[in-house]
Amino acid sequence: MSATPRKREGKYLTFALGDEEYGIDALKVQGILGMQPITPMPQAPHYVKGVTTVRGKVAPIISARLKLGMYEVEYTSETCIILVSLRDSWAGMIVDTVRDVIDIWENQIEDAPKMGQYSDDEVIGLAKIGNSVKILLDIERTLSDIIPDNAPGADAFPLEGE
């Protein structure tokens, strides 16, 4: 028996890690930041780079490469942090480069095969767009272990004004 199907079609922010392309729900994206100083946190998981201050609040920052089982590479001028809103909190994810916001329809999405480092919970599906395949991530599940259940309310993270 399969679980209740998740809504998979919608607008996705796409980004690249090496030659692989990924997509996350664009409605969860709060901004795209250039690289900035990150303060390491003791005893954090290996993929947590640390924390940084965003709009006056502290946000955890992870390496998408390390979280998804890839190796680290040197940052480039295109390396950036995707700031996402999760459970009324924020987190940042370092990616090689951001691509586009695109509409992906249900008929373009296939279930991901069960293999490798991705859990069934993290991968929503594989979107076939032209000659490319984009791995669609459930960003809430991907980052669930760094966002506390008692995260502050959304009013703690004002979006207007810097």
Side-chain angles (χ1 to χ4, degrees):
M1 305 237 170
S2 63
T4 305
R6 293 182 264 187
K7 178 182 176 283
R8 303 190 301 180
E9 73 178 24
K11 288 197 179 301
Y12 284 83
L13 174 72
T14 61
F15 61 92
L17 299 175
D19 293 334
E20 294 181 19
E21 290 199 32
Y22 294 83
I24 60 174
D25 182 350
L27 296 177
K28 302 229 182 272
V29 175
Q30 295 300 313
I32 298 168
L33 311 172
M35 291 305 298
Q36 53 192 50
I38 297 171
T39 303
M41 293 297 294
Q43 301 181 356
H46 74 285
Y47 54 85
V48 176
K49 301 304 280 183
V51 296
T52 194
T53 303
V54 179
R55 299 177 186 144
K57 300 296 176 186
V58 174
I61 305 296
I62 70 142
S63 164
R65 283 180 156 274
L66 292 177
K67 176 66 176 163
L68 297 174
M70 301 172 86
Y71 58 88
E72 283 272 58
V73 296
E74 291 288 323
Y75 296 156
T76 70
S77 61
E78 293 187 3
T79 304
C80 58
I81 299 170
I82 299 173
L83 185 65
V84 294
S85 174
L86 305 170
R87 286 192 224 141
D88 298 326
S89 189
W90 285 357
M93 186 169 64
I94 300 170
V95 302
D96 293 356
T97 187
V98 169
R99 298 277 195 228
D100 297 302
V101 174
I102 60 173
D103 289 311
I104 298 179
W105 305 103
E106 186 63 37
N107 65 358
Q108 295 173 299
I109 302 171
E110 290 186 11
D111 293 336
K114 306 215 183 312
M115 63 180 176
Q117 71 263 23
Y118 308 115
S119 78
D120 293 342
D121 288 343
E122 290 180 42
V123 176
I124 295 170
L126 303 176
K128 296 177 296 181
I129 311 294
N131 291 328
S132 70
V133 174
K134 298 180 187 339
I135 301 167
L136 304 181
L137 298 176
D138 182 329
I139 196 64
E140 287 190 20
R141 292 184 180 171
T142 301
L143 300 180
S144 64
D145 53 342
I146 66 163
I147 301 295
D149 289 331
N150 61 346
D155 59 341
F157 298 98
L159 295 178
E160 57 284 331
E162 296 276 331

